[in-house]
Amino acid sequence: AQSVAQPEDQVNVAEGNPLTVKCTYSVSGNPYLFWYVQYPNRGLQFLLKYITGDNLVKGSYGFEAEFNKSQTSFHLKKPSALVSDSALYFCAVRDGDSGGYQKVTFGTGTKLQVIP
Amino acid sequence: DSGVTQTPKHLITATGQRVTLRCSPRSGDLSVYWYQQSLDQGLQFLIQYYNGEERAKGNILERFSAQQFPDLHSELNLSSLELGDSALYFCASSPGTTGNQPQHFGDGTRLSIL
């Protein structure tokens, strides 16, 4: 079985400071990892993904994430937070080695609050 | 704009009733996914269709059913509605089923049961 954990319900950061939203995962094979963002009254929007290759993945809006296989983590980062980054962030995982279809599992979400 | 269209945006109905939510996937996408988002349950995967065929089931109640039509649009049917079914229902689409492609989400249908 696959699972994903977002240990923080909410992260507060001052505008201009670096931000990190944490995600850890569990799969039996190689992971496919995703980050999505959800703004109020909107659907989830894809930010970035890791399938294979470079452990540092760059995505939309200046976000990046670092894949760490030994720690089974895929933390989302941004060097300088903007007030407009305030939203709900979801990490998602799929077991890339599973045969046939395997659904994507989403985390419970982390609310990011950027304080002016 | 994700390219995924969900109608209606809002739906208010009473317990015991039946409703149908509609989703048009992004052009070219063959997979459609349905999710339920509520405050206490987070984002729950309900069901997935690929090119008209059911591919995976998640935490979908027996009172709920879905289908994908030949033109690839999908409908989620919810019957014998209960207060606890009040939630935001999202549809998402992706080109295939390999799982290495991101899903593109619609803006959801907010269902309120009175």
Side-chain angles (χ1 to χ4, degrees), chain A residues 32 34 36 38 41-46 49 51 88 90 94-96 100-104 106-108, chain B residues 33 35 37 42-43 45 48 55-58 88 90 97-107 110:
Chain A
Y32 293 167
F34 305 84
Y36 291 82
Q38 184 181 26
N41 301 313
R42 300 299 303 276
L44 281 66
Q45 296 177 36
F46 169 71
K49 69 177 181 180
I51 304 300
L88 190 56
F90 289 92
R94 179 191 184 273
D95 187 337
Y101 175 76
Q102 177 68 265
K103 70 180 177 70
V104 173
F106 284 82
T108 51
Chain B
Y33 311 79
Y35 294 87
Q37 186 178 36
L43 191 66
F45 168 70
Q48 185 223 359
R55 275 302 182 97
K57 262 186 176 181
L88 201 49
F90 286 109
T97 63
T98 58
N100 63 354
Q101 301 148 327
Q103 296 177 22
H104 297 269
F105 284 74
D107 284 338
R110 184 172 295 280

Side-chain angles (χ1 to χ4, degrees), chain A residues 2-114:
Chain A
Q2 61 191 33
S3 65
V4 59
Q6 295 182 243
E8 302 154 317
D9 289 337
Q10 181 159 337
V11 170
N12 297 321
V13 62
E15 186 177 24
N17 282 3
L19 69 87
T20 298
V21 183
K22 295 180 180 178
C23 171
T24 58
Y25 66 89
S26 175
V27 295
S28 53
N30 289 307
Y32 293 167
L33 293 156
F34 305 84
W35 275 103
Y36 291 82
V37 60
Q38 184 181 26
Y39 298 100
N41 301 313
R42 300 299 303 276
L44 281 66
Q45 296 177 36
F46 169 71
L47 278 180
L48 49 82
K49 69 177 181 180
Y50 172 84
I51 304 300
T52 186
D54 194 348
N55 289 344
L56 186 63
V57 179
K58 293 188 183 299
S60 306
Y61 312 120
F63 283 93
E64 58 189 28
E66 186 169 11
F67 171 64
N68 188 316
K69 188 172 183 177
S70 63
Q71 297 186 3
T72 61
S73 67
F74 189 57
H75 301 332
L76 181 70
K77 301 181 179 184
K78 188 174 182 180
S80 179
L82 300 173
V83 172
S84 57
D85 293 330
S86 298
L88 190 56
Y89 290 80
F90 289 92
C91 181
V93 67
R94 179 191 184 273
D95 187 337
D97 291 346
S98 62
Y101 175 76
Q102 177 68 265
K103 70 180 177 70
V104 173
T105 299
F106 284 82
T108 51
T110 298
K111 183 178 180 180
L112 174 67
Q113 190 77 34
V114 180

